[in-house]
Amino acid sequence: MIKNCRICGVKLGRRNHTARKNTTTNLCFSCIRHPPIEEQCMGITYKGEKCKIIKYRDSNYCKIHKYMERSENA
């Protein structure tokens, strides 16, 4: 079964970011490192810049900024 990156469609190789611990991202190395804006976290870094890490599963935030989602819903 040939898998492709879910963002750019590039064929995924053996060693890529498809399986990381308990999640399956189905993303190529390039998309993990430089995700499109709609796939980026909505958090703000301590320097006041927009976070550029990819979102975590079905959240709007990455693992680091996950706490912001809880405060947003409260």
Side-chain angles (χ1 to χ4, degrees):
M1 184 172 147
I2 298 173
K3 291 191 176 189
N4 295 335
C5 175
R6 67 179 169 88
I7 295 175
C8 67
V10 172
K11 180 183 172 187
L12 297 177
R14 287 184 181 186
R15 295 194 68 208
N16 52 39
H17 295 272
T18 57
R20 301 188 88 188
K21 295 190 180 176
N22 298 326
T23 63
T24 302
T25 61
N26 290 326
L27 297 174
C28 64
F29 181 76
S30 178
C31 289
I32 280 283
R33 299 293 290 164
H34 307 288
I37 293 173
E38 59 272 2
E39 292 284 330
Q40 289 179 359
C41 171
M42 294 176 63
I44 303 295
T45 64
Y46 72 94
K47 291 183 178 181
E49 300 170 355
K50 185 179 181 308
C51 179
K52 295 179 182 175
I53 300 174
I54 198 160
K55 293 177 185 177
Y56 181 68
R57 294 186 182 168
D58 56 353
S59 171
N60 286 327
Y61 297 94
C62 62
K63 279 186 172 182
I64 297 167
H65 294 111
K66 190 77 171 159
Y67 70 91
M68 293 178 121
E69 188 169 45
R70 282 184 248 136
S71 63
E72 186 179 273
N73 292 334

Short mmCIF file of all heavy atoms in Angstrom, two decimals, residues 14-65:
data_model
loop_
_atom_site.label_atom_id
_atom_site.label_comp_id
_atom_site.label_asym_id
_atom_site.label_seq_id
_atom_site.Cartn_x
_atom_site.Cartn_y
_atom_site.Cartn_z
N ARG A 14 10.02 5.18 3.72
CA ARG A 14 10.02 4.36 4.93
C ARG A 14 10.25 5.19 6.18
O ARG A 14 9.59 5.01 7.18
CB ARG A 14 11.12 3.31 4.84
CG ARG A 14 10.82 2.21 3.90
CD ARG A 14 11.91 1.19 3.97
NE ARG A 14 11.66 0.12 3.04
CZ ARG A 14 12.38 -0.95 2.97
NH1 ARG A 14 13.42 -1.10 3.77
NH2 ARG A 14 12.10 -1.89 2.11
N ARG A 15 11.26 6.06 6.13
CA ARG A 15 11.60 6.85 7.31
C ARG A 15 11.09 8.27 7.14
O ARG A 15 11.73 9.10 6.54
CB ARG A 15 13.11 6.85 7.52
CG ARG A 15 13.63 5.48 7.83
CD ARG A 15 15.01 5.52 8.36
NE ARG A 15 14.99 6.14 9.67
CZ ARG A 15 16.01 6.80 10.19
NH1 ARG A 15 17.11 6.93 9.53
NH2 ARG A 15 15.91 7.33 11.38
N ASN A 16 9.91 8.52 7.62
CA ASN A 16 9.35 9.86 7.59
C ASN A 16 8.53 10.05 8.86
O ASN A 16 8.64 9.28 9.79
CB ASN A 16 8.51 10.07 6.32
CG ASN A 16 7.48 8.99 6.15
OD1 ASN A 16 6.89 8.54 7.13
ND2 ASN A 16 7.27 8.55 4.93
N HIS A 17 7.70 10.99 8.89
CA HIS A 17 6.94 11.31 10.09
C HIS A 17 5.54 10.72 10.05
O HIS A 17 4.59 11.35 10.49
CB HIS A 17 6.89 12.83 10.27
CG HIS A 17 8.23 13.41 10.52
ND1 HIS A 17 8.76 13.52 11.77
CD2 HIS A 17 9.18 13.87 9.69
CE1 HIS A 17 9.96 14.04 11.69
NE2 HIS A 17 10.24 14.26 10.43
N THR A 18 5.39 9.52 9.51
CA THR A 18 4.06 8.93 9.45
C THR A 18 3.68 8.29 10.76
O THR A 18 2.52 8.23 11.10
CB THR A 18 3.96 7.88 8.33
OG1 THR A 18 4.95 6.89 8.56
CG2 THR A 18 4.17 8.50 6.98
N ALA A 19 4.62 7.80 11.52
CA ALA A 19 4.31 7.15 12.79
C ALA A 19 5.21 7.72 13.88
O ALA A 19 6.40 7.50 13.88
CB ALA A 19 4.51 5.65 12.68
N ARG A 20 4.63 8.51 14.76
CA ARG A 20 5.37 9.09 15.86
C ARG A 20 4.65 8.72 17.14
O ARG A 20 3.59 9.23 17.42
CB ARG A 20 5.45 10.60 15.72
CG ARG A 20 6.12 11.01 14.43
CD ARG A 20 6.35 12.46 14.40
NE ARG A 20 7.65 12.68 15.03
CZ ARG A 20 8.12 13.87 15.32
NH1 ARG A 20 7.41 14.92 15.07
NH2 ARG A 20 9.29 14.00 15.87
N LYS A 21 5.24 7.81 17.88
CA LYS A 21 4.69 7.31 19.14
C LYS A 21 3.29 6.75 18.90
O LYS A 21 3.13 5.75 18.24
CB LYS A 21 4.73 8.36 20.22
CG LYS A 21 6.14 8.74 20.59
CD LYS A 21 6.19 9.60 21.79
CE LYS A 21 7.64 9.93 22.09
NZ LYS A 21 7.78 10.82 23.19
N ASN A 22 2.25 7.38 19.40
CA ASN A 22 0.89 6.82 19.30
C ASN A 22 0.04 7.48 18.22
O ASN A 22 -1.14 7.21 18.13
CB ASN A 22 0.18 6.95 20.65
CG ASN A 22 0.89 6.16 21.73
OD1 ASN A 22 1.44 5.10 21.46
ND2 ASN A 22 0.89 6.68 22.94
N THR A 23 0.62 8.36 17.42
CA THR A 23 -0.17 9.04 16.40
C THR A 23 0.34 8.72 15.01
O THR A 23 1.49 8.36 14.82
CB THR A 23 -0.11 10.58 16.58
OG1 THR A 23 1.24 11.00 16.42
CG2 THR A 23 -0.63 10.99 17.93
N THR A 24 -0.50 8.84 14.03
CA THR A 24 -0.12 8.70 12.63
C THR A 24 -0.46 10.00 11.94
O THR A 24 -1.61 10.40 11.87
CB THR A 24 -0.89 7.55 11.97
OG1 THR A 24 -0.61 6.36 12.71
CG2 THR A 24 -0.47 7.36 10.54
N THR A 25 0.57 10.69 11.46
CA THR A 25 0.35 12.00 10.86
C THR A 25 0.14 11.93 9.36
O THR A 25 -0.54 12.77 8.79
CB THR A 25 1.55 12.92 11.13
OG1 THR A 25 2.71 12.35 10.55
CG2 THR A 25 1.75 13.14 12.61
N ASN A 26 0.76 10.94 8.69
CA ASN A 26 0.72 10.83 7.23
C ASN A 26 1.19 12.12 6.56
O ASN A 26 0.59 12.60 5.60
CB ASN A 26 -0.67 10.46 6.74
CG ASN A 26 -1.03 9.04 7.09
OD1 ASN A 26 -0.17 8.18 7.13
ND2 ASN A 26 -2.28 8.80 7.38
N LEU A 27 2.30 12.67 7.08
CA LEU A 27 2.89 13.87 6.51
C LEU A 27 4.34 13.61 6.12
O LEU A 27 5.04 12.86 6.79
CB LEU A 27 2.86 15.02 7.52
CG LEU A 27 1.49 15.50 7.95
CD1 LEU A 27 1.62 16.52 9.04
CD2 LEU A 27 0.73 16.06 6.78
N CYS A 28 4.78 14.25 5.05
CA CYS A 28 6.18 14.14 4.65
C CYS A 28 7.02 15.06 5.54
O CYS A 28 6.49 15.88 6.29
CB CYS A 28 6.34 14.53 3.18
SG CYS A 28 5.95 16.24 2.81
N PHE A 29 8.32 14.92 5.45
CA PHE A 29 9.23 15.71 6.27
C PHE A 29 9.05 17.20 6.03
O PHE A 29 9.02 18.00 6.96
CB PHE A 29 10.68 15.30 5.98
CG PHE A 29 11.68 16.04 6.81
CD1 PHE A 29 11.88 15.71 8.13
CD2 PHE A 29 12.41 17.07 6.26
CE1 PHE A 29 12.80 16.39 8.89
CE2 PHE A 29 13.33 17.76 7.01
CZ PHE A 29 13.53 17.42 8.34
N SER A 30 8.91 17.59 4.78
CA SER A 30 8.76 19.00 4.44
C SER A 30 7.49 19.61 5.05
O SER A 30 7.52 20.72 5.57
CB SER A 30 8.73 19.15 2.92
OG SER A 30 8.54 20.48 2.56
N CYS A 31 6.38 18.88 5.03
CA CYS A 31 5.12 19.40 5.58
C CYS A 31 5.14 19.45 7.10
O CYS A 31 4.47 20.29 7.69
CB CYS A 31 3.94 18.58 5.07
SG CYS A 31 3.60 18.87 3.33
N ILE A 32 5.86 18.54 7.73
CA ILE A 32 6.00 18.60 9.19
C ILE A 32 6.82 19.82 9.59
O ILE A 32 6.49 20.54 10.52
CB ILE A 32 6.68 17.31 9.73
CG1 ILE A 32 5.67 16.18 9.82
CG2 ILE A 32 7.32 17.52 11.08
CD1 ILE A 32 4.73 16.23 11.00
N ARG A 33 7.91 20.07 8.87
CA ARG A 33 8.81 21.18 9.19
C ARG A 33 8.22 22.54 8.82
O ARG A 33 8.46 23.52 9.50
CB ARG A 33 10.15 21.00 8.48
CG ARG A 33 10.87 19.75 8.87
CD ARG A 33 11.34 19.75 10.29
NE ARG A 33 12.41 20.70 10.43
CZ ARG A 33 12.84 21.18 11.58
NH1 ARG A 33 12.29 20.78 12.69
NH2 ARG A 33 13.80 22.05 11.63
N HIS A 34 7.48 22.61 7.72
CA HIS A 34 6.92 23.88 7.24
C HIS A 34 5.46 23.68 6.85
O HIS A 34 5.12 23.67 5.67
CB HIS A 34 7.72 24.40 6.05
CG HIS A 34 9.18 24.49 6.31
ND1 HIS A 34 9.73 25.45 7.13
CD2 HIS A 34 10.21 23.73 5.90
CE1 HIS A 34 11.03 25.26 7.19
NE2 HIS A 34 11.35 24.22 6.46
N PRO A 35 4.56 23.52 7.83
CA PRO A 35 3.16 23.28 7.49
C PRO A 35 2.50 24.53 6.91
O PRO A 35 2.91 25.65 7.19
CB PRO A 35 2.53 22.93 8.84
CG PRO A 35 3.40 23.56 9.86
CD PRO A 35 4.78 23.57 9.27
N PRO A 36 1.47 24.34 6.06
CA PRO A 36 0.74 25.50 5.55
C PRO A 36 0.05 26.24 6.70
O PRO A 36 -0.16 25.68 7.77
CB PRO A 36 -0.28 24.89 4.60
CG PRO A 36 -0.19 23.43 4.71
CD PRO A 36 0.98 23.09 5.55
N ILE A 37 -0.31 27.46 6.49
CA ILE A 37 -0.88 28.31 7.54
C ILE A 37 -2.12 27.69 8.18
O ILE A 37 -2.29 27.74 9.39
CB ILE A 37 -1.20 29.72 6.98
CG1 ILE A 37 0.11 30.42 6.62
CG2 ILE A 37 -2.00 30.55 7.98
CD1 ILE A 37 -0.05 31.73 5.90
N GLU A 38 -2.98 27.05 7.38
CA GLU A 38 -4.20 26.47 7.95
C GLU A 38 -3.91 25.25 8.83
O GLU A 38 -4.76 24.86 9.62
CB GLU A 38 -5.20 26.10 6.86
CG GLU A 38 -4.72 25.11 5.84
CD GLU A 38 -4.00 25.73 4.66
OE1 GLU A 38 -3.83 26.96 4.62
OE2 GLU A 38 -3.61 24.96 3.77
N GLU A 39 -2.72 24.67 8.73
CA GLU A 39 -2.33 23.53 9.56
C GLU A 39 -1.50 23.94 10.77
O GLU A 39 -1.14 23.12 11.59
CB GLU A 39 -1.54 22.52 8.73
CG GLU A 39 -2.35 21.82 7.67
CD GLU A 39 -3.26 20.76 8.23
OE1 GLU A 39 -2.94 20.15 9.27
OE2 GLU A 39 -4.33 20.54 7.63
N GLN A 40 -1.17 25.23 10.90
CA GLN A 40 -0.33 25.70 12.00
C GLN A 40 -1.14 25.97 13.26
O GLN A 40 -2.32 26.32 13.20
CB GLN A 40 0.41 26.98 11.62
CG GLN A 40 1.49 26.75 10.60
CD GLN A 40 2.19 28.04 10.21
OE1 GLN A 40 1.86 29.12 10.69
NE2 GLN A 40 3.15 27.92 9.32
N CYS A 41 -0.47 25.85 14.40
CA CYS A 41 -1.06 26.13 15.70
C CYS A 41 -1.50 27.59 15.78
O CYS A 41 -0.90 28.46 15.17
CB CYS A 41 0.00 25.83 16.77
SG CYS A 41 -0.43 26.35 18.43
N MET A 42 -2.55 27.87 16.54
CA MET A 42 -3.05 29.23 16.69
C MET A 42 -2.45 29.94 17.90
O MET A 42 -2.80 31.07 18.20
CB MET A 42 -4.58 29.20 16.81
CG MET A 42 -5.27 28.72 15.56
SD MET A 42 -7.05 28.57 15.74
CE MET A 42 -7.51 30.26 16.06
N GLY A 43 -1.54 29.27 18.61
CA GLY A 43 -0.93 29.83 19.81
C GLY A 43 0.07 30.93 19.52
O GLY A 43 0.51 31.12 18.39
N ILE A 44 0.41 31.66 20.58
CA ILE A 44 1.39 32.74 20.51
C ILE A 44 2.59 32.34 21.38
O ILE A 44 2.42 31.93 22.52
CB ILE A 44 0.80 34.07 21.02
CG1 ILE A 44 -0.46 34.44 20.23
CG2 ILE A 44 1.82 35.19 20.98
CD1 ILE A 44 -0.22 34.73 18.76
N THR A 45 3.80 32.49 20.83
CA THR A 45 5.00 32.13 21.57
C THR A 45 5.31 33.19 22.63
O THR A 45 4.71 34.27 22.64
CB THR A 45 6.21 31.99 20.63
OG1 THR A 45 6.48 33.26 20.05
CG2 THR A 45 5.95 30.96 19.56
N TYR A 46 6.27 32.89 23.51
CA TYR A 46 6.62 33.85 24.55
C TYR A 46 7.27 35.10 23.98
O TYR A 46 7.34 36.13 24.63
CB TYR A 46 7.52 33.20 25.62
CG TYR A 46 8.92 32.92 25.17
CD1 TYR A 46 9.94 33.83 25.40
CD2 TYR A 46 9.24 31.74 24.52
CE1 TYR A 46 11.23 33.58 24.99
CE2 TYR A 46 10.52 31.48 24.11
CZ TYR A 46 11.52 32.40 24.34
OH TYR A 46 12.80 32.14 23.94
N LYS A 47 7.75 35.03 22.73
CA LYS A 47 8.31 36.20 22.06
C LYS A 47 7.23 37.06 21.41
O LYS A 47 7.51 38.10 20.83
CB LYS A 47 9.31 35.78 20.99
CG LYS A 47 10.58 35.18 21.55
CD LYS A 47 11.53 34.85 20.43
CE LYS A 47 12.82 34.29 20.97
NZ LYS A 47 13.77 33.98 19.88
N GLY A 48 5.97 36.61 21.48
CA GLY A 48 4.86 37.35 20.90
C GLY A 48 4.62 37.04 19.44
O GLY A 48 3.84 37.72 18.78
N GLU A 49 5.27 36.00 18.91
CA GLU A 49 5.09 35.61 17.51
C GLU A 49 4.10 34.45 17.41
O GLU A 49 3.87 33.74 18.37
CB GLU A 49 6.44 35.18 16.93
CG GLU A 49 7.48 36.27 16.96
CD GLU A 49 8.87 35.76 16.61
OE1 GLU A 49 9.03 34.53 16.44
OE2 GLU A 49 9.78 36.59 16.53
N LYS A 50 3.54 34.27 16.21
CA LYS A 50 2.62 33.16 15.99
C LYS A 50 3.41 31.85 15.99
O LYS A 50 4.47 31.76 15.40
CB LYS A 50 1.91 33.34 14.65
CG LYS A 50 0.85 32.29 14.39
CD LYS A 50 0.19 32.54 13.06
CE LYS A 50 -0.89 31.54 12.77
NZ LYS A 50 -0.50 30.16 12.89
N CYS A 51 2.86 30.85 16.64
CA CYS A 51 3.49 29.52 16.68
C CYS A 51 3.45 28.91 15.29
O CYS A 51 2.46 29.03 14.58
CB CYS A 51 2.75 28.64 17.68
SG CYS A 51 3.41 26.98 17.82
N LYS A 52 4.52 28.24 14.89
CA LYS A 52 4.61 27.65 13.55
C LYS A 52 4.59 26.12 13.59
O LYS A 52 4.84 25.48 12.59
CB LYS A 52 5.87 28.14 12.86
CG LYS A 52 5.83 29.62 12.61
CD LYS A 52 7.08 30.12 11.94
CE LYS A 52 6.99 31.63 11.78
NZ LYS A 52 8.22 32.19 11.25
N ILE A 53 4.28 25.54 14.73
CA ILE A 53 4.22 24.08 14.86
C ILE A 53 2.87 23.60 14.34
O ILE A 53 1.86 24.28 14.42
CB ILE A 53 4.41 23.67 16.34
CG1 ILE A 53 5.76 24.15 16.84
CG2 ILE A 53 4.28 22.17 16.51
CD1 ILE A 53 5.99 23.93 18.31
N ILE A 54 2.86 22.38 13.82
CA ILE A 54 1.63 21.81 13.26
C ILE A 54 0.62 21.51 14.37
O ILE A 54 1.00 21.19 15.50
CB ILE A 54 1.95 20.55 12.43
CG1 ILE A 54 0.80 20.21 11.51
CG2 ILE A 54 2.34 19.38 13.29
CD1 ILE A 54 1.19 19.34 10.35
N LYS A 55 -0.66 21.63 14.07
CA LYS A 55 -1.73 21.36 15.04
C LYS A 55 -1.69 19.92 15.51
O LYS A 55 -1.28 19.03 14.77
CB LYS A 55 -3.10 21.63 14.42
CG LYS A 55 -3.36 23.06 14.09
CD LYS A 55 -4.71 23.19 13.42
CE LYS A 55 -4.97 24.60 12.97
NZ LYS A 55 -6.25 24.70 12.26
N TYR A 56 -2.17 19.68 16.70
CA TYR A 56 -2.21 18.34 17.28
C TYR A 56 -3.58 17.73 17.06
O TYR A 56 -4.59 18.26 17.54
CB TYR A 56 -1.88 18.42 18.76
CG TYR A 56 -1.87 17.10 19.47
CD1 TYR A 56 -0.90 16.15 19.19
CD2 TYR A 56 -2.83 16.79 20.41
CE1 TYR A 56 -0.89 14.95 19.83
CE2 TYR A 56 -2.83 15.58 21.06
CZ TYR A 56 -1.84 14.66 20.77
OH TYR A 56 -1.83 13.45 21.41
N ARG A 57 -3.61 16.63 16.32
CA ARG A 57 -4.84 15.88 16.01
C ARG A 57 -5.96 16.79 15.55
O ARG A 57 -5.82 17.53 14.60
CB ARG A 57 -5.24 15.01 17.18
CG ARG A 57 -4.22 13.93 17.43
CD ARG A 57 -4.66 12.98 18.47
NE ARG A 57 -3.61 11.99 18.69
CZ ARG A 57 -3.60 11.16 19.69
NH1 ARG A 57 -4.55 11.16 20.58
NH2 ARG A 57 -2.61 10.31 19.82
N ASP A 58 -7.11 16.81 16.23
CA ASP A 58 -8.23 17.63 15.79
C ASP A 58 -8.39 18.90 16.61
O ASP A 58 -9.46 19.44 16.75
CB ASP A 58 -9.53 16.81 15.82
CG ASP A 58 -9.81 16.22 17.19
OD1 ASP A 58 -8.95 16.33 18.07
OD2 ASP A 58 -10.90 15.67 17.37
N SER A 59 -7.27 19.39 17.13
CA SER A 59 -7.26 20.61 17.94
C SER A 59 -6.82 21.79 17.08
O SER A 59 -6.35 21.62 15.96
CB SER A 59 -6.27 20.42 19.10
OG SER A 59 -6.07 21.62 19.78
N ASN A 60 -6.98 23.00 17.59
CA ASN A 60 -6.47 24.19 16.92
C ASN A 60 -5.09 24.57 17.41
O ASN A 60 -4.52 25.56 16.96
CB ASN A 60 -7.41 25.38 17.13
CG ASN A 60 -8.67 25.24 16.31
OD1 ASN A 60 -8.66 24.70 15.22
ND2 ASN A 60 -9.77 25.72 16.84
N TYR A 61 -4.55 23.81 18.36
CA TYR A 61 -3.27 24.12 18.97
C TYR A 61 -2.33 22.92 18.93
O TYR A 61 -2.77 21.78 18.83
CB TYR A 61 -3.48 24.55 20.43
CG TYR A 61 -4.30 25.81 20.55
CD1 TYR A 61 -5.68 25.76 20.74
CD2 TYR A 61 -3.71 27.06 20.45
CE1 TYR A 61 -6.44 26.91 20.84
CE2 TYR A 61 -4.45 28.21 20.54
CZ TYR A 61 -5.81 28.14 20.73
OH TYR A 61 -6.55 29.28 20.82
N CYS A 62 -1.03 23.18 19.06
CA CYS A 62 -0.05 22.11 19.16
C CYS A 62 -0.04 21.57 20.59
O CYS A 62 -0.76 22.07 21.45
CB CYS A 62 1.34 22.65 18.78
SG CYS A 62 1.96 23.94 19.88
N LYS A 63 0.79 20.56 20.84
CA LYS A 63 0.85 19.99 22.19
C LYS A 63 1.31 21.01 23.22
O LYS A 63 0.87 21.01 24.35
CB LYS A 63 1.81 18.80 22.21
CG LYS A 63 1.22 17.53 21.71
CD LYS A 63 2.21 16.40 21.92
CE LYS A 63 1.62 15.07 21.60
NZ LYS A 63 2.55 13.98 21.85
N ILE A 64 2.21 21.90 22.82
CA ILE A 64 2.76 22.90 23.75
C ILE A 64 1.69 23.91 24.16
O ILE A 64 1.60 24.30 25.31
CB ILE A 64 3.96 23.62 23.10
CG1 ILE A 64 5.07 22.61 22.84
CG2 ILE A 64 4.45 24.76 23.98
CD1 ILE A 64 6.17 23.11 21.95
N HIS A 65 0.85 24.34 23.22
CA HIS A 65 -0.17 25.36 23.49
C HIS A 65 -1.55 24.77 23.76
O HIS A 65 -2.54 25.48 23.71
CB HIS A 65 -0.24 26.35 22.33
CG HIS A 65 1.00 27.16 22.17
ND1 HIS A 65 1.85 27.00 21.12
CD2 HIS A 65 1.54 28.12 22.97
CE1 HIS A 65 2.86 27.84 21.24
NE2 HIS A 65 2.70 28.53 22.36
#
